[in-house]
Amino acid sequence: MMNIDALIKQYHDELHERVLPFWLEHSQDKEYGGYFTCLDRDGSVFDTDKFMWLQGREVWLFSMLCNKEGIRPEWLECARQGAEFMLKYGHDGDFNWYFALTRDGKPLVDPYNIFSYTFATMAFAQLHKATGEERYAEATRRTFQHILERWDNPKAQWSKAHAGSRDMRAMAPSMILCNLLLEIEHLMDPAVVEESIDKALGDVMNTFYRPELGLVVEHINADGTLSDTFDGRLINPGHTLETMWFVMDLARRRGDKALIEKAVEIGLKTLDFGWDKEHGGIFYFMDRKGCPPQQLEWDQKLWWVHIESTIAMLEGYLLTGDERCKEWFERLHDYTWSHFRDEEHPEWYGYLNRRGEVLLTLKGGKWKGCFHVPRGLYKCECLLKELKQKMEK
């Protein structure tokens, strides 16, 4: 029997006493604006390049907390200064968002990555909600229009694929839209929001989810068929589980119990498939046929995979009462807290080897920023509070 009060306190205290102070103290660039994300174990900066998707994530995180928990000056100032850096340097003038900049804002990598766009959209939508400033709403709308334009071709002219030889679609754009649309709907035409939700859900749950496998694949052929290639066989368990809690959020919004149950079953099947039976934890990448994966880091254990899976199982248990979700939540909670949490310094490790040993001491880098850990802690705290209310009725 889980001790809900103790769990609520555990998630709350970790967020407010260790994780948020870490980013507020170490990530803000007081000279040029924006955020450092390449932070070593103690918060020291080891590289000053700025990656736009991580800039957007940090703006979003502190804006979201202002909107959910009440505005705190240090949170709002952190979000605002990051947003101003993004608006001044982060795009080409038409809200095409670069992937990387130098510390002082010079472009390093062109706008090939759709996630630079999606997290800019989320960031400015939440900051607009916190401040009411119309220019943040304008940045949201114009960036979202580019996302819609690039939905089926996320890398646009920066794609390395040769056109016509093996046309494939990725699940990622539809996956992120399942979350993004709920972040920005207060600024959008309701009809566009509902139409986009329908498309994103249909893609994830009816196209990339394959009933014959019981799994979600990362790529499919343009005609909707499976591809027997590296990309076509790729399974990313963490991606699927993160997507399933996005789907549950949308299903709750629409009161769709059948969709909730389908998302839960997919999540459970994915954990059965992706859990390392020998060493514990969830594999990063897998091949649906059991062939050698293309990614050499396939057997690493990553922070975001485990945090997002924990959210999915906790939300599944809250919404369905399925004891399998509770058992998985407890297993994931125990593994995540015992392996990724740094007992000596704030914030969490990101990368473990298959045996669960720390591979890199960094707390942030090119791919890890102020996002999955604080969002996961906050989301789990909220779900646990809901669960407590439900159990007290």
Side-chain angles (χ1 to χ4, degrees):
M1 182 69 179
M2 64 172 69
N3 185 332
I4 294 183
D5 288 329
L7 286 169
I8 291 171
K9 180 175 173 27
Q10 182 177 355
Y11 281 92
H12 176 89
D13 290 354
E14 185 71 11
L15 176 64
H16 289 277
E17 296 177 9
R18 301 184 86 243
V19 173
L20 295 179
F22 176 90
W23 292 102
L24 287 169
E25 178 182 353
H26 297 295
S27 74
Q28 297 189 79
D29 185 344
K30 302 296 187 181
E31 184 175 354
Y32 290 100
Y35 313 110
F36 301 118
T37 61
C38 296
L39 304 176
D40 210 341
R41 185 182 182 192
D42 61 356
S44 57
V45 178
F46 65 85
D47 195 279
T48 61
D49 287 351
K50 292 171 180 172
F51 308 97
M52 295 315 299
W53 73 312
L54 296 181
Q55 302 292 301
R57 283 178 161 192
E58 190 155 349
V59 173
W60 173 84
L61 191 281
F62 283 102
S63 299
M64 178 276 293
L65 287 173
C66 284
N67 293 325
K68 299 286 190 181
E69 298 291 292
I71 289 177
R72 297 189 187 182
E74 67 272 25
W75 292 353
L76 186 59
E77 175 54 30
C78 181
R80 191 190 289 275
Q81 69 87 7
E84 292 305 316
F85 179 85
M86 292 179 69
L87 285 174
K88 187 173 183 179
Y89 301 112
H91 62 91
D92 64 356
D94 189 33
F95 295 92
N96 291 295
W97 296 90
Y98 300 114
F99 180 74
L101 309 176
T102 61
R103 179 184 179 185
D104 58 354
K106 296 181 179 66
L108 284 172
V109 180
D110 281 333
Y112 82 95
N113 193 306
I114 195 70
F115 289 112
S116 299
Y117 293 67
T118 58
F119 289 107
T121 305
M122 288 171 59
F124 291 115
Q126 287 298 309
L127 188 54
H128 169 267
K129 187 180 286 189
T131 65
E133 293 190 28
E134 180 58 30
R135 61 202 183 98
Y136 297 142
E138 178 67 10
T140 300
R141 296 188 186 99
R142 291 184 65 180
T143 305
F144 183 66
Q145 185 57 44
H146 287 315
I147 294 171
L148 294 180
E149 292 164 359
R150 287 174 59 169
W151 193 326
D152 289 327
N153 184 23
K155 292 186 179 179
Q157 67 264 41
W158 296 282
S159 175
K160 292 184 288 186
H162 187 79
S165 58
R166 183 184 289 161
D167 293 333
M168 300 184 75
R169 294 182 59 227
M171 190 267 286
S174 296
M175 168 258 192
I176 201 64
L177 275 165
C178 287
N179 180 237
L180 171 63
L181 290 161
L182 293 183
E183 297 288 339
I184 69 172
E185 64 175 329
H186 62 286
L187 294 174
M188 309 303 297
D189 179 340
V192 172
V193 171
E194 295 305 322
E195 180 183 346
S196 300
I197 288 174
D198 286 340
K199 183 177 180 183
L201 279 175
D203 250 6
V204 170
M205 303 301 280
N206 300 321
T207 302
F208 289 94
Y209 169 64
R210 313 302 295 197
E212 67 272 32
L213 304 174
L215 300 168
V216 174
V217 296
E218 289 291 307
H219 305 93
I220 56 169
N221 291 321
D223 64 2
T225 59
L226 290 173
S227 173
D228 192 5
T229 58
F230 275 127
D231 287 340
R233 293 191 303 268
L234 181 65
I235 303 291
N236 183 329
H239 226 191
T240 296
L241 284 147
E242 183 179 9
T243 306
M244 289 307 106
W245 77 254
F246 295 167
V247 171
M248 283 185 245
D249 279 356
L250 289 172
R252 294 176 78 179
R253 179 181 182 275
R254 291 183 162 184
D256 191 336
K257 293 183 179 180
L259 183 58
I260 291 171
E261 291 172 0
K262 183 176 180 180
V264 166
E265 288 300 328
I266 292 172
L268 290 167
K269 175 72 173 180
T270 302
L271 279 167
D272 286 336
F273 180 79
W275 187 260
D276 184 344
K277 309 297 192 295
E278 184 176 353
H279 297 285
I282 303 167
F283 289 118
Y284 188 15
F285 293 113
M286 300 184 75
D287 186 288
R288 62 181 171 83
K289 287 190 169 183
C291 302
Q294 184 179 28
Q295 293 81 2
L296 300 182
E297 68 274 26
W298 70 274
D299 66 345
Q300 289 180 17
K301 310 295 167 61
L302 269 67
W303 83 108
W304 71 265
V305 170
H306 293 77
I307 292 166
E308 301 301 335
S309 301
T310 303
I311 296 170
M313 288 297 100
L314 181 55
E315 187 158 3
Y317 180 56
L318 169 68
L319 298 180
T320 68
D322 192 319
E323 287 293 320
R324 294 174 296 170
C325 292
K326 180 183 177 220
E327 291 168 6
W328 270 114
F329 164 71
E330 291 172 338
R331 185 186 301 185
L332 287 161
H333 168 89
D334 290 345
Y335 184 92
T336 302
W337 282 81
S338 63
H339 288 80
F340 291 100
R341 186 179 188 271
D342 184 348
E343 297 293 333
E344 296 181 28
H345 296 280
E347 246 292 340
W348 291 13
Y349 298 119
Y351 302 89
L352 314 177
N353 64 21
R354 182 176 179 182
R355 294 183 299 275
E357 300 159 342
V358 176
L359 268 178
L360 297 170
T361 58
L362 63 79
K363 297 298 177 60
K366 182 177 180 179
W367 309 109
K368 184 180 187 293
C370 179
F371 187 64
H372 286 287
V373 174
R375 181 180 73 166
L377 293 169
Y378 181 72
K379 180 76 174 177
C380 284
E381 179 189 348
C382 292
L383 292 169
L384 286 161
K385 287 178 177 177
E386 272 195 85
L387 183 60
K388 180 181 178 181
Q389 290 178 346
K390 183 178 180 180
M391 294 175 69
E392 288 175 348
K393 286 183 179 178

